[in-house]
């Protein structure tokens, strides 16, 4: 009977070992997949940073919006839009005060 119990335990230990190996393999695959995904994201981020740096160092070649439209250097970069030739009507108030 003791031999039968040993055989059962050996079988259970073998099954447990196989299950752990399978889980470990799946875990390694998930880590590998996550690493590849992160590498791709970092590569894309690196490319964006290179483009931004290039735009900053070469403003003449990049599409940079100038803020000197008719205002000269140091002019108002945010002019009011859609208010050309608008007139303000001033109403005269009565200057008499009731006593």
């Amino acid at each position: 009977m003791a031999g039968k119990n040993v055989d059962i335990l050996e079988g259970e230990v073998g099954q447990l070992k196989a299950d752990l190996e399978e889980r470990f393999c799946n875990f390694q695959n998930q880590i590998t997949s996550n690493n590849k995904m992160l590498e791709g994201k970092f590569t894309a981020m690196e490319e964006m940073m290179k483009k931004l740096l290039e735009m900053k160092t070469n403003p003449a070649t990049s599409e940079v919006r100038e803020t000197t439209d008719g205002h000269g250097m140091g002019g108002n970069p945010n002019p009011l839009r859609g208010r050309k030739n608008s007139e303000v009507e001033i109403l005269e108030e009565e200057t008499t005060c009731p006593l």
Side-chain angles (χ1 to χ4, degrees):
M1 179 140 162
K4 188 175 181 181
N5 287 341
V6 170
D7 289 339
I8 292 173
L9 287 176
E10 284 179 351
E12 288 178 356
V13 169
Q15 183 64 41
L16 181 62
K17 182 180 176 185
D19 290 346
L20 288 175
E21 286 176 350
E22 181 181 352
R23 287 184 180 191
F24 185 72
C25 183
N26 289 337
F27 185 65
Q28 282 182 322
N29 289 338
Q30 286 178 341
I31 290 174
T32 302
S33 175
N34 287 343
N35 283 341
K36 287 180 182 180
M37 181 184 65
L38 285 174
E39 285 177 14
K41 290 188 182 275
F42 279 118
T43 301
M45 190 182 306
E46 183 180 12
E47 291 297 319
M48 287 191 304
M49 290 179 76
K50 283 180 183 178
K51 288 179 183 178
L52 286 171
L53 183 61
E54 183 179 302
M55 288 173 58
K56 185 172 178 86
T57 57
N58 300 325
T61 59
S62 64
E63 295 180 18
V64 177
R65 190 176 122 191
E66 296 185 17
T67 60
T68 60
D69 295 339
H71 296 286
M73 293 299 289
N76 184 1
N78 297 316
L80 296 176
R81 298 175 194 258
R83 292 192 173 204
K84 295 180 181 178
N85 298 327
S86 64
E87 295 181 13
V88 177
E89 181 180 339
I90 299 174
L91 300 176
E92 292 184 24
E93 295 182 21
E94 294 182 22
T95 57
T96 60
C97 292
L99 293 177

